[in-house]
Amino acid sequence: MATERIAAGHLMRAVKGSYRTHQELQDACLRLCALRGVPARAIHTGPRVAPREGGGFELRGNRSQRGVSDLMVCLPPHGRLALWGLKSGKARRTPEQARVHMEFTAAGAQCEVIRSVDDAERCLAGVPRSTHQGGKR
């Protein structure tokens, strides 16, 4: 029996909203952070591919990460955690995202909804350039 294969296009069609616009915004925010020397990482919260018993696959929601933001940013000079939820078009935060933002804000993190590179620049205004070397010691 042939094994079913999944292509990137299948995952893109499975995700609601404009995947390409969201990805472009994420890439631009990561480049901006890199230019400023600010450590940032994308957090994958999309569907997981799970094998089916008897062959094939299914897409399952990643329930353990519901409401988690798209980018984790470490703001110099003291390493304050910033969580950036990226939104394109008319997309809004889900109730789970709002809950996670409230929980992390109460613990001292900076949580933002980013709709453009201008929003990201505003969040980095006044943040000193980091001496972060990308994991090199």
Side-chain angles (χ1 to χ4, degrees):
M1 179 188 309
T3 303
E4 291 183 53
R5 297 201 181 269
I6 186 164
H10 294 108
L11 289 174
M12 285 187 255
R13 286 189 293 275
V15 178
K16 294 179 183 176
S18 173
Y19 177 83
R20 179 171 288 145
T21 302
H22 187 273
Q23 190 64 44
E24 288 171 355
L25 177 58
Q26 179 174 296
D27 292 344
C29 288
L30 287 170
R31 281 194 308 272
L32 174 66
C33 287
L35 287 170
R36 299 272 178 96
V38 174
R41 296 291 183 272
I43 303 171
H44 176 70
T45 58
R48 294 185 301 170
V49 177
R52 283 189 185 144
E53 215 172 289
F57 67 89
E58 64 181 312
L59 293 177
R60 290 185 183 165
N62 200 347
R63 290 189 180 109
S64 66
Q65 292 187 352
R66 279 191 180 153
V68 175
S69 294
D70 299 293
L71 293 179
M72 174 178 57
V73 181
C74 185
L75 300 174
H78 302 294
R80 183 176 184 195
L81 174 66
L83 298 176
W84 292 358
L86 307 178
K87 297 294 177 190
S88 58
K90 295 180 181 180
R92 301 169 72 113
R93 286 190 308 177
T94 65
E96 290 93 357
Q97 289 169 331
R99 181 186 54 75
V100 168
H101 275 198
M102 282 194 323
E103 181 181 339
F104 275 76
T105 298
Q110 176 184 336
C111 298
E112 302 286 344
V113 173
I114 304 292
R115 294 188 171 277
S116 67
V117 176
D118 289 339
D119 287 347
E121 286 180 335
R122 177 185 50 79
C123 292
L124 294 177
V127 172
R129 183 167 178 81
S130 173
T131 57
H132 170 70
Q133 297 296 316
K136 296 178 184 173
R137 292 179 186 231

